[in-house]
Coordinates of all heavy atoms in Angstrom, one line a residue:
M1 N -113.4 67.2 118.1 CA -112.4 66.9 117.1 C -111.3 67.9 117.2 O -111.4 69.1 117.4 CB -113.1 67.0 115.7 CG -112.1 66.7 114.5 SD -112.9 67.0 112.9 CE -114.0 65.6 112.9
C2 N -110.0 67.4 117.2 CA -108.8 68.3 117.4 C -108.6 69.1 116.1 O -109.1 68.8 115.1 CB -107.7 67.4 117.8 SG -106.7 66.7 116.5
I3 N -107.7 70.1 116.3 CA -107.5 71.1 115.2 C -106.8 70.3 114.0 O -107.0 70.6 112.9 CB -106.6 72.3 115.6 CG1 -106.6 73.3 114.6 CG2 -105.3 71.9 116.2 CD1 -106.0 74.7 115.1
F4 N -105.9 69.3 114.2 CA -105.2 68.6 113.2 C -106.2 67.7 112.5 O -106.1 67.6 111.2 CB -104.1 67.9 113.8 CG -102.9 68.8 114.2 CD1 -101.8 68.1 114.9 CD2 -102.8 70.0 113.8 CE1 -100.7 68.9 115.2 CE2 -101.7 70.9 114.2 CZ -100.7 70.3 114.9
C5 N -107.2 67.1 113.2 CA -108.2 66.3 112.4 C -109.2 67.2 111.6 O -109.5 66.9 110.5 CB -109.1 65.6 113.4 SG -108.2 64.2 114.3
K6 N -109.3 68.5 112.1 CA -110.1 69.4 111.2 C -109.2 69.8 110.0 O -109.9 70.1 108.9 CB -110.5 70.7 112.0 CG -111.5 70.5 113.1 CD -111.8 71.7 113.9 CE -112.9 71.3 114.9 NZ -113.3 72.6 115.6
I7 N -108.0 70.0 110.0 CA -107.1 70.3 109.0 C -107.2 69.0 108.0 O -107.2 69.3 106.8 CB -105.7 70.5 109.4 CG1 -105.6 71.9 110.1 CG2 -104.6 70.6 108.3 CD1 -104.3 72.2 110.7
I8 N -107.0 67.9 108.4 CA -107.1 66.6 107.6 C -108.5 66.6 106.9 O -108.5 66.3 105.8 CB -106.8 65.4 108.4 CG1 -105.5 65.3 109.1 CG2 -107.2 64.1 107.8 CD1 -105.2 64.3 110.2
D9 N -109.5 66.8 107.5 CA -110.8 66.9 107.0 C -111.1 68.1 106.1 O -112.1 68.0 105.4 CB -111.9 66.8 108.0 CG -112.0 65.5 108.7 OD1 -111.5 64.5 108.3 OD2 -112.7 65.4 109.9
G10 N -110.2 69.1 106.0 CA -110.4 70.2 105.0 C -111.3 71.3 105.7 O -111.5 72.3 105.0
E11 N -111.6 71.2 107.0 CA -112.3 72.3 107.6 C -111.5 73.6 107.9 O -112.0 74.6 108.0 CB -113.0 71.7 108.9 CG -113.9 70.6 108.7 CD -114.5 70.1 110.1 OE1 -114.5 71.0 111.0 OE2 -114.6 68.9 110.2
I12 N -110.2 73.4 108.0 CA -109.2 74.4 108.2 C -108.2 74.4 107.1 O -107.6 73.3 106.9 CB -108.5 74.3 109.6 CG1 -109.6 74.3 110.7 CG2 -107.6 75.4 109.8 CD1 -109.1 74.1 112.2
P13 N -107.9 75.4 106.4 CA -107.0 75.4 105.4 C -105.6 75.3 105.8 O -105.3 75.6 106.9 CB -107.2 76.8 104.7 CG -107.8 77.5 105.6 CD -108.7 76.8 106.6
N14 N -104.7 74.7 105.0 CA -103.3 74.7 105.3 C -102.4 74.8 104.1 O -103.0 74.8 103.0 CB -103.0 73.3 106.0 CG -103.1 72.1 105.0 OD1 -102.1 71.9 104.4 ND2 -104.2 71.5 104.9
K15 N -101.2 75.0 104.2 CA -100.2 75.1 103.1 C -99.5 73.7 103.1 O -98.5 73.5 103.8 CB -99.2 76.2 103.3 CG -99.9 77.6 103.2 CD -98.9 78.7 103.3 CE -99.6 80.1 103.1 NZ -98.5 81.1 103.2
T16 N -100.1 72.7 102.3 CA -99.5 71.4 102.3 C -98.2 71.4 101.6 O -97.9 72.0 100.5 CB -100.6 70.5 101.4 OG1 -101.8 70.6 102.1 CG2 -100.1 69.1 101.3
V17 N -97.3 70.7 102.3 CA -95.9 70.5 101.8 C -95.9 69.1 101.0 O -95.4 68.9 99.9 CB -94.9 70.4 102.8 CG1 -93.5 70.0 102.3 CG2 -94.8 71.8 103.5
L18 N -96.6 68.0 101.6 CA -96.6 66.8 101.1 C -97.7 66.0 101.8 O -98.0 66.2 102.9 CB -95.3 66.0 101.3 CG -95.0 64.7 100.6 CD1 -94.8 64.8 99.2 CD2 -93.7 64.0 101.2
E19 N -98.2 65.1 100.9 CA -99.5 64.3 101.4 C -99.6 63.0 100.8 O -99.3 62.9 99.6 CB -100.8 65.1 101.2 CG -102.0 64.4 101.7 CD -103.3 65.3 101.6 OE1 -103.2 66.3 100.9 OE2 -104.3 64.9 102.2
N20 N -99.9 62.0 101.6 CA -100.3 60.6 100.9 C -101.6 60.2 101.6 O -102.2 61.0 102.3 CB -99.1 59.7 100.9 CG -98.7 59.2 102.3 OD1 -99.5 59.3 103.3 ND2 -97.4 58.7 102.4
D21 N -101.8 58.9 101.5 CA -103.0 58.3 102.0 C -103.0 58.3 103.5 O -104.1 58.3 104.2 CB -103.3 56.9 101.5 CG -103.7 56.9 100.0 OD1 -104.1 57.9 99.5 OD2 -103.5 55.7 99.5
N22 N -101.9 58.3 104.2 CA -101.8 58.1 105.6 C -101.3 59.3 106.4 O -101.4 59.3 107.6 CB -100.8 56.9 105.9 CG -101.4 55.7 105.3 OD1 -102.6 55.4 105.4 ND2 -100.6 54.8 104.6
F23 N -100.5 60.2 105.8 CA -99.8 61.3 106.4 C -100.1 62.6 105.7 O -100.3 62.7 104.5 CB -98.3 61.0 106.6 CG -98.0 59.6 107.2 CD1 -97.7 58.6 106.5 CD2 -98.3 59.5 108.6 CE1 -97.5 57.4 107.1 CE2 -98.1 58.2 109.2 CZ -97.7 57.3 108.5
L24 N -100.0 63.7 106.4 CA -100.0 65.0 105.9 C -98.8 65.9 106.5 O -98.6 65.8 107.7 CB -101.4 65.7 106.2 CG -101.5 67.1 105.9 CD1 -101.5 67.3 104.4 CD2 -102.8 67.6 106.5
A25 N -98.1 66.5 105.7 CA -97.1 67.6 106.2 C -97.5 69.0 105.6 O -97.9 69.1 104.4 CB -95.8 67.1 105.5
F26 N -97.4 70.0 106.4 CA -97.9 71.3 106.2 C -97.1 72.2 106.9 O -96.5 72.0 107.9 CB -99.4 71.5 106.4 CG -99.9 71.2 107.8 CD1 -100.0 72.2 108.7 CD2 -100.1 69.9 108.1 CE1 -100.3 71.9 110.0 CE2 -100.6 69.6 109.5 CZ -100.7 70.6 110.4
E27 N -97.0 73.5 106.3 CA -96.3 74.6 107.0 C -96.9 75.0 108.3 O -98.1 75.2 108.4 CB -96.1 75.8 106.1 CG -95.4 75.6 104.8 CD -95.3 76.7 103.8 OE1 -95.7 77.8 104.3 OE2 -94.8 76.6 102.7
D28 N -96.0 75.1 109.3 CA -96.4 75.7 110.6 C -96.9 77.2 110.4 O -96.2 77.9 109.8 CB -95.4 75.6 111.6 CG -95.8 75.8 113.0 OD1 -96.3 77.0 113.4 OD2 -95.6 74.9 113.9
I29 N -98.0 77.5 111.0 CA -98.4 79.0 110.9 C -97.7 80.0 111.8 O -97.7 81.2 111.6 CB -99.9 79.2 111.2 CG1 -100.3 78.8 112.7 CG2 -100.8 78.5 110.1 CD1 -101.7 79.1 113.1
N30 N -96.8 79.4 112.7 CA -96.0 80.2 113.6 C -94.6 79.6 113.6 O -94.2 79.1 114.6 CB -96.6 80.3 115.0 CG -95.9 81.2 115.9 OD1 -95.2 82.2 115.4 ND2 -96.1 81.0 117.1
P31 N -93.9 79.8 112.5 CA -92.7 79.1 112.3 C -91.5 79.5 113.3 O -91.3 80.7 113.7 CB -92.1 79.4 110.9 CG -92.9 80.7 110.5 CD -94.1 80.6 111.3
S32 N -90.8 78.5 113.7 CA -89.5 78.8 114.6 C -88.3 78.7 113.9 O -87.2 78.8 114.4 CB -89.6 77.8 115.6 OG -90.7 77.7 116.4
A33 N -88.2 78.5 112.5 CA -87.2 78.3 111.6 C -87.6 78.7 110.2 O -88.8 78.7 109.9 CB -86.5 77.1 111.6
P34 N -86.6 79.1 109.3 CA -87.1 79.4 107.9 C -87.9 78.2 107.3 O -88.9 78.6 106.5 CB -85.8 79.5 107.2 CG -84.7 80.0 108.2 CD -85.2 79.2 109.5
I35 N -87.6 77.0 107.6 CA -88.4 75.9 107.2 C -88.9 75.2 108.4 O -88.2 74.9 109.4 CB -87.6 74.8 106.4 CG1 -87.1 75.5 105.1 CG2 -88.5 73.7 106.2 CD1 -86.2 74.7 104.3
H36 N -90.3 75.2 108.7 CA -91.0 74.7 109.8 C -92.2 73.9 109.3 O -93.3 74.6 109.0 CB -91.4 75.7 110.8 CG -91.8 75.2 112.1 ND1 -91.8 75.9 113.3 CD2 -92.3 74.0 112.6 CE1 -92.4 75.1 114.4 NE2 -92.6 73.9 113.8
V37 N -92.1 72.7 109.2 CA -93.2 71.8 108.8 C -93.7 70.9 109.9 O -92.9 70.4 110.6 CB -92.7 70.8 107.6 CG1 -93.8 70.0 107.0 CG2 -92.1 71.8 106.5
L38 N -95.0 70.9 110.0 CA -95.6 69.9 110.8 C -96.1 68.6 110.1 O -96.6 68.8 109.0 CB -96.9 70.5 111.4 CG -96.7 71.7 112.4 CD1 -98.1 72.3 112.7 CD2 -95.9 71.4 113.6
I39 N -95.8 67.4 110.7 CA -96.0 66.2 110.0 C -96.8 65.4 110.9 O -96.6 65.1 112.1 CB -94.7 65.5 109.7 CG1 -93.7 66.4 109.0 CG2 -94.9 64.1 109.0 CD1 -92.4 66.0 108.9
I40 N -98.0 64.9 110.3 CA -99.0 64.3 111.3 C -99.6 63.1 110.5 O -99.7 62.9 109.2 CB -100.2 65.1 111.6 CG1 -101.0 65.7 110.3 CG2 -99.8 66.3 112.4 CD1 -102.2 66.4 110.6
P41 N -100.0 62.0 111.3 CA -100.6 60.9 110.6 C -102.2 61.3 110.5 O -102.7 62.2 111.3 CB -100.6 59.8 111.7 CG -100.4 60.4 113.0 CD -99.7 61.7 112.7
K42 N -102.9 60.8 109.4 CA -104.3 61.1 109.2 C -105.2 60.4 110.1 O -106.3 60.9 110.3 CB -104.6 60.8 107.8 CG -104.1 61.8 106.8 CD -104.4 61.6 105.4 CE -103.8 62.6 104.4 NZ -104.4 62.4 103.0
V43 N -104.8 59.4 110.9 CA -105.6 58.8 111.9 C -105.2 59.4 113.2 O -104.0 59.9 113.5 CB -105.2 57.3 112.0 CG1 -103.8 57.0 112.2 CG2 -106.1 56.6 113.0
H44 N -106.2 59.7 114.0 CA -106.0 60.4 115.3 C -105.2 59.5 116.2 O -105.6 58.4 116.7 CB -107.3 61.0 115.9 CG -107.0 61.8 117.2 ND1 -106.8 63.0 117.1 CD2 -107.0 61.3 118.5 CE1 -106.6 63.5 118.4 NE2 -106.6 62.5 119.2
I45 N -104.0 60.0 116.6 CA -103.3 59.2 117.6 C -102.9 60.3 118.7 O -102.2 61.4 118.3 CB -102.0 58.6 117.1 CG1 -102.4 57.5 116.0 CG2 -101.1 58.0 118.2 CD1 -101.3 57.0 115.3
Q46 N -103.2 60.1 119.9 CA -103.1 61.2 120.8 C -101.6 61.7 121.1 O -101.4 62.9 121.1 CB -103.6 60.8 122.3 CG -103.5 61.8 123.4 CD -104.6 62.2 124.0 OE1 -105.8 61.9 123.6 NE2 -104.7 63.1 125.0
S47 N -100.7 60.8 121.2 CA -99.3 61.1 121.4 C -98.4 60.1 121.0 O -98.8 59.0 120.6 CB -99.0 61.7 122.9 OG -98.8 60.6 123.7
F48 N -97.0 60.4 121.1 CA -96.1 59.3 120.9 C -96.3 57.9 121.7 O -96.0 57.0 121.2 CB -94.6 59.9 121.0 CG -93.6 58.9 120.5 CD1 -93.4 58.8 119.1 CD2 -92.9 58.2 121.4 CE1 -92.3 57.9 118.7 CE2 -91.9 57.3 120.9 CZ -91.7 57.3 119.6
N49 N -96.7 58.2 122.8 CA -97.0 57.0 123.7 C -98.0 56.0 123.2 O -98.0 54.9 123.6 CB -97.5 57.6 125.1 CG -96.5 58.1 125.9 OD1 -95.3 58.0 125.8 ND2 -96.9 59.1 126.8
E50 N -98.9 56.5 122.1 CA -99.8 55.6 121.6 C -99.4 55.1 120.2 O -100.2 54.4 119.6 CB -101.2 56.3 121.5 CG -101.9 56.4 122.9 CD -101.4 57.4 123.7 OE1 -101.1 58.6 123.3 OE2 -101.3 57.3 125.0
M51 N -98.3 55.5 119.7 CA -97.8 55.1 118.4 C -97.5 53.7 118.3 O -97.0 53.1 119.2 CB -96.5 55.9 118.0 CG -96.8 57.3 117.5 SD -97.6 57.5 116.0 CE -96.2 57.3 114.9
T52 N -97.8 53.0 117.3 CA -97.5 51.6 117.0 C -96.3 51.5 116.2 O -95.9 52.6 115.3 CB -98.7 50.9 116.3 OG1 -98.8 51.4 114.9 CG2 -100.0 51.0 117.0
P53 N -95.5 50.5 116.2 CA -94.3 50.4 115.4 C -94.6 50.4 114.0 O -93.8 51.0 113.2 CB -93.7 49.0 115.9 CG -94.2 48.7 117.2 CD -95.6 49.4 117.3
N54 N -95.7 49.8 113.5 CA -96.0 49.9 112.2 C -96.3 51.3 111.6 O -95.8 51.6 110.5 CB -97.2 49.0 111.8 CG -96.9 47.5 112.0 OD1 -95.8 47.2 111.9 ND2 -97.9 46.7 112.1
I55 N -97.1 52.0 112.2 CA -97.3 53.4 111.9 C -96.0 54.2 112.0 O -95.7 55.0 111.0 CB -98.5 54.1 112.7 CG1 -99.8 53.4 112.5 CG2 -98.6 55.7 112.4 CD1 -100.8 53.8 113.4
M56 N -95.3 54.0 112.9 CA -94.0 54.8 113.0 C -93.0 54.5 111.9 O -92.3 55.3 111.3 CB -93.3 54.6 114.4 CG -92.0 55.5 114.8 SD -92.8 57.1 115.0 CE -91.5 58.0 114.0
A57 N -93.0 53.2 111.6 CA -92.1 52.8 110.4 C -92.6 53.4 109.1 O -91.8 54.0 108.4 CB -92.1 51.2 110.2
D58 N -93.8 53.5 108.8 CA -94.4 54.2 107.6 C -94.2 55.7 107.7 O -93.8 56.4 106.7 CB -95.9 54.0 107.4 CG -96.1 52.5 107.1 OD1 -95.3 51.7 106.7 OD2 -97.3 52.0 107.3
M59 N -94.3 56.2 109.0 CA -94.1 57.6 109.1 C -92.7 58.1 108.9 O -92.3 59.2 108.4 CB -94.6 58.1 110.5 CG -94.8 59.6 110.6 SD -95.7 59.9 112.1 CE -96.2 61.6 111.7
T60 N -91.7 57.2 109.3 CA -90.3 57.5 109.2 C -90.1 57.8 107.7 O -89.3 58.7 107.3 CB -89.5 56.3 109.6 OG1 -89.8 56.2 111.1 CG2 -87.9 56.5 109.5
S61 N -90.4 56.9 106.8 CA -90.1 57.1 105.4 C -90.8 58.4 104.8 O -90.3 59.1 104.0 CB -90.5 55.9 104.5 OG -91.9 55.6 104.6
F62 N -92.0 58.7 105.3 CA -92.7 59.9 104.9 C -91.9 61.1 105.4 O -91.8 62.1 104.6 CB -94.1 59.9 105.5 CG -94.9 61.1 105.0 CD1 -95.4 61.2 103.8 CD2 -95.2 62.1 105.8 CE1 -96.3 62.3 103.3 CE2 -95.9 63.3 105.5 CZ -96.5 63.3 104.1
I63 N -91.5 61.1 106.6 CA -90.7 62.2 107.2 C -89.4 62.4 106.3 O -89.1 63.6 105.9 CB -90.4 62.1 108.7 CG1 -91.7 62.3 109.5 CG2 -89.3 63.1 109.1 CD1 -91.4 61.7 110.9
Q64 N -88.7 61.5 106.0 CA -87.6 61.5 105.1 C -87.9 62.1 103.7 O -87.2 63.0 103.2 CB -86.9 60.1 104.9 CG -86.3 59.6 106.3 CD -85.9 58.2 106.2 OE1 -86.3 57.4 105.3 NE2 -85.1 57.8 107.2
E65 N -89.1 61.8 103.2 CA -89.5 62.3 101.9 C -89.8 63.8 102.0 O -89.5 64.6 101.2 CB -90.7 61.5 101.4 CG -91.1 61.9 100.0 CD -92.3 61.1 99.5 OE1 -92.7 60.0 100.1 OE2 -92.7 61.4 98.4
V66 N -90.4 64.2 103.2 CA -90.7 65.7 103.5 C -89.4 66.4 103.6 O -89.3 67.4 102.9 CB -91.4 65.8 104.8 CG1 -91.4 67.3 105.3 CG2 -92.9 65.2 104.6
A67 N -88.3 65.8 104.2 CA -87.1 66.5 104.3 C -86.5 66.7 102.9 O -85.9 67.7 102.7 CB -86.0 65.6 105.1
L68 N -86.6 65.6 102.1 CA -86.1 65.8 100.7 C -86.8 66.9 100.0 O -86.3 67.8 99.2 CB -86.2 64.5 100.0 CG -85.8 64.4 98.6 CD1 -84.2 64.7 98.4 CD2 -86.0 62.9 97.9
T69 N -88.2 66.9 100.0 CA -89.1 67.8 99.3 C -88.7 69.4 99.7 O -88.8 70.2 98.9 CB -90.5 67.5 99.7 OG1 -90.8 66.2 99.2 CG2 -91.5 68.5 99.1
V70 N -88.4 69.6 101.0 CA -88.2 71.0 101.4 C -86.7 71.3 101.2 O -86.4 72.4 101.6 CB -88.6 71.3 102.9 CG1 -90.2 71.2 102.9 CG2 -87.9 70.4 103.9
G71 N -86.0 70.5 100.7 CA -84.5 70.7 100.6 C -83.7 70.6 101.7 O -82.5 71.2 101.8
A72 N -84.2 69.9 102.8 CA -83.4 69.9 104.0 C -82.5 68.7 104.3 O -81.7 68.6 105.2 CB -84.2 70.0 105.2
K73 N -82.7 67.6 103.5 CA -82.1 66.3 103.7 C -80.6 66.3 103.7 O -80.0 65.7 104.5 CB -82.7 65.2 102.7 CG -82.3 63.8 103.1 CD -83.2 62.8 102.3 CE -82.8 61.5 102.8 NZ -83.5 60.4 102.1
S74 N -80.1 67.0 102.8 CA -78.6 67.0 102.6 C -77.9 68.0 103.8 O -76.9 67.8 104.2 CB -78.1 67.4 101.3 OG -78.5 68.6 100.9
D75 N -78.6 69.2 104.0 CA -78.0 70.2 104.9 C -78.3 69.8 106.3 O -77.5 70.3 107.2 CB -78.6 71.5 104.5 CG -77.9 72.1 103.3 OD1 -76.9 71.6 102.8 OD2 -78.5 72.9 102.7
G76 N -79.3 69.1 106.6 CA -79.6 68.7 108.0 C -80.8 69.4 108.5 O -81.3 70.4 108.0
Y77 N -81.5 68.8 109.4 CA -82.7 69.3 110.0 C -82.9 68.9 111.4 O -82.2 68.0 111.9 CB -84.0 69.0 109.1 CG -84.1 67.6 108.9 CD1 -84.9 66.8 109.7 CD2 -83.4 66.9 107.8 CE1 -85.1 65.4 109.4 CE2 -83.6 65.5 107.6 CZ -84.5 64.8 108.4 OH -84.6 63.5 108.1
R78 N -83.8 69.5 112.2 CA -84.2 68.9 113.5 C -85.6 68.4 113.4 O -86.5 69.0 112.8 CB -84.2 70.2 114.5 CG -84.4 69.7 115.9 CD -84.2 70.8 116.8 NE -82.7 71.0 116.9 CZ -82.2 72.2 117.3 NH1 -82.9 73.3 117.6 NH2 -80.9 72.4 117.3
L79 N -85.8 67.3 114.0 CA -87.1 66.7 114.2 C -87.5 66.6 115.6 O -86.7 66.0 116.4 CB -87.0 65.2 113.5 CG -88.3 64.5 113.3 CD1 -89.2 65.3 112.3 CD2 -88.1 63.2 112.8
I80 N -88.7 67.1 116.0 CA -89.0 67.2 117.3 C -90.5 66.7 117.5 O -91.4 67.1 116.7 CB -89.0 68.7 117.9 CG1 -87.6 69.3 117.8 CG2 -89.6 68.8 119.3 CD1 -87.6 70.8 117.9
T81 N -90.8 65.9 118.6 CA -92.2 65.7 119.0 C -92.1 66.0 120.5 O -91.3 65.6 121.3 CB -92.7 64.2 118.6 OG1 -94.0 64.2 118.8 CG2 -91.9 63.2 119.4
N82 N -93.2 66.6 120.8 CA -93.5 66.8 122.3 C -94.6 65.9 122.9 O -95.5 65.6 122.1 CB -94.0 68.3 122.5 CG -93.0 69.3 122.0 OD1 -91.9 69.2 122.2 ND2 -93.4 70.3 121.2
I83 N -94.3 65.3 124.0 CA -95.2 64.3 124.5 C -95.8 64.7 125.9 O -95.0 64.9 126.8 CB -94.5 63.0 124.7 CG1 -94.0 62.6 123.3 CG2 -95.5 61.8 125.1 CD1 -92.7 61.7 123.3
G84 N -97.1 64.8 125.9 CA -97.8 65.3 127.2 C -97.6 66.7 127.5 O -96.8 67.5 126.9
E85 N -98.4 67.0 128.6 CA -98.3 68.4 129.1 C -96.9 68.9 129.6 O -96.5 69.9 129.2 CB -99.2 68.5 130.3 CG -99.5 69.9 130.8 CD -100.4 70.1 131.9 OE1 -101.3 69.1 132.1 OE2 -100.3 71.0 132.7
N86 N -96.3 68.1 130.3 CA -94.9 68.4 130.7 C -93.9 68.3 129.7 O -92.8 69.1 129.8 CB -94.5 67.5 132.0 CG -95.1 67.8 133.2 OD1 -95.8 68.7 133.3 ND2 -95.0 66.8 134.1
G87 N -94.2 67.7 128.5 CA -93.3 67.7 127.5 C -93.5 68.8 126.5 O -92.9 69.0 125.4
G88 N -94.6 69.6 126.7 CA -95.0 70.8 125.9 C -96.0 70.6 124.7 O -96.0 71.3 123.8
Q89 N -96.5 69.3 124.7 CA -97.5 69.0 123.7 C -98.7 69.9 123.6 O -99.5 69.9 124.7 CB -97.8 67.5 123.7 CG -98.7 67.1 122.6 CD -99.0 65.6 122.5 OE1 -98.7 64.9 123.4 NE2 -99.8 65.2 121.6
G90 N -98.8 70.8 122.7 CA -100.0 71.8 122.7 C -101.2 71.3 122.0 O -102.3 71.7 122.2
V91 N -101.1 70.2 121.1 CA -102.2 69.6 120.3 C -102.2 68.2 120.6 O -101.1 67.5 120.4 CB -102.2 69.9 118.9 CG1 -103.3 69.3 118.2 CG2 -102.2 71.4 118.6
S92 N -103.4 67.7 121.1 CA -103.3 66.2 121.5 C -103.5 65.3 120.2 O -104.5 64.7 120.1 CB -104.4 65.9 122.5 OG -104.1 66.5 123.7
H93 N -102.7 65.4 119.3 CA -102.7 64.6 118.0 C -101.1 64.6 117.7 O -100.5 65.6 117.6 CB -103.3 65.3 117.0 CG -103.5 64.5 115.7 ND1 -104.7 64.2 115.2 CD2 -102.5 63.9 114.8 CE1 -104.6 63.5 114.0 NE2 -103.3 63.4 113.8
I94 N -100.5 63.3 117.7 CA -99.0 63.1 117.5 C -98.7 64.0 116.3 O -99.3 63.9 115.2 CB -98.7 61.7 117.3 CG1 -97.2 61.5 117.1 CG2 -99.4 61.0 116.1 CD1 -96.3 61.8 118.2
H95 N -97.6 64.7 116.4 CA -97.1 65.5 115.3 C -95.6 65.7 115.6 O -95.1 65.8 116.7 CB -97.8 66.9 115.1 CG -97.8 67.8 116.4 ND1 -98.6 67.5 117.5 CD2 -97.1 69.0 116.6 CE1 -98.3 68.4 118.4 NE2 -97.4 69.3 117.9
F96 N -94.9 65.8 114.5 CA -93.5 66.1 114.4 C -93.3 67.3 113.8 O -93.9 67.8 112.8 CB -92.7 65.0 113.6 CG -92.6 63.7 114.4 CD1 -93.7 62.7 114.2 CD2 -91.6 63.3 115.2 CE1 -93.7 61.5 114.9 CE2 -91.5 62.1 115.8 CZ -92.6 61.2 115.7
H97 N -92.3 68.2 114.3 CA -91.9 69.5 113.8 C -90.6 69.1 113.1 O -89.7 68.7 113.7 CB -91.6 70.4 114.9 CG -92.7 70.8 115.8 ND1 -93.4 72.1 115.5 CD2 -93.4 70.2 116.8 CE1 -94.4 72.0 116.5 NE2 -94.3 70.9 117.3
L98 N -90.6 69.6 111.8 CA -89.2 69.4 111.0 C -88.9 71.0 110.8 O -89.5 71.7 110.3 CB -89.4 69.0 109.7 CG -88.2 68.5 108.9 CD1 -88.3 67.3 107.9 CD2 -87.8 69.8 108.0
L99 N -87.7 71.1 111.5 CA -87.1 72.6 111.5 C -85.9 72.5 110.6 O -84.9 71.7 110.9 CB -86.8 73.0 112.8 CG -88.0 73.1 113.8 CD1 -87.4 73.1 115.4 CD2 -89.0 74.2 113.5
A100 N -85.6 73.5 109.7 CA -84.5 73.6 108.9 C -84.4 74.9 108.2 O -85.1 75.9 108.6 CB -84.6 72.4 107.7
G101 N -83.4 75.1 107.3 CA -83.3 76.3 106.6 C -82.1 77.2 107.2 O -81.9 78.3 106.6
E102 N -81.6 76.9 108.3 CA -80.6 77.6 108.9 C -79.8 76.8 109.9 O -80.3 75.7 110.3 CB -81.0 78.9 109.6 CG -81.8 78.6 110.8 CD -82.6 79.8 111.4 OE1 -82.3 80.9 110.9 OE2 -83.1 79.7 112.6
K103 N -78.6 77.1 110.3 CA -77.9 76.5 111.3 C -78.7 76.5 112.7 O -78.8 77.7 113.2 CB -76.6 76.8 111.5 CG -75.7 76.0 112.5 CD -74.1 76.3 112.4 CE -73.4 75.6 113.3 NZ -72.8 74.3 112.7
L104 N -79.2 75.4 113.2 CA -80.0 75.6 114.4 C -79.0 75.4 115.6 O -78.0 74.7 115.6 CB -81.0 74.4 114.5 CG -81.9 74.5 113.3 CD1 -82.7 73.1 113.2 CD2 -82.9 75.7 113.4
G105 N -79.3 76.2 116.8 CA -78.5 76.1 117.9 C -78.6 74.7 118.6 O -79.6 74.1 118.4
K106 N -77.6 74.4 119.4 CA -77.6 73.1 120.1 C -78.7 73.1 121.3 O -78.9 74.2 121.9 CB -76.3 72.8 120.7 CG -75.3 72.4 119.8 CD -74.1 72.0 120.4 CE -73.0 71.5 119.4 NZ -71.8 71.0 119.9
L107 N -79.4 72.0 121.5 CA -80.5 71.9 122.5 C -79.8 71.3 123.8 O -80.3 71.8 125.0 CB -81.6 71.2 122.1 CG -82.5 71.7 121.0 CD1 -83.6 70.8 120.6 CD2 -83.0 73.1 121.4
I108 N -78.9 70.5 123.8 CA -78.4 69.9 124.8 C -76.9 70.1 124.8 O -76.2 70.0 123.8 CB -78.7 68.3 124.9 CG1 -80.2 68.2 124.8 CG2 -78.2 67.7 126.1 CD1 -80.7 66.7 124.6

């Protein structure tokens, strides 16, 4: 069982930001910005390559609600997902990083 599945099952504590029946958002334990939230589906999906359009559609509205909850929706935020080893994916469970709380530098 992956670390995120253990968090979902309550085996590992987290600082929950927002939760519903299908998704969980919680604070990253090693933040890269003043606001750094991880957003995951409660069903195990290995990476973005396995995401279905229906789950992504539902997750989109949840992510927008997370941005509103943490106060980042109006000022802006960065949303990142890493896919596979070469993409830097460290946990094999699809997750999005929401970074906010300061002006973030350009990536490209």
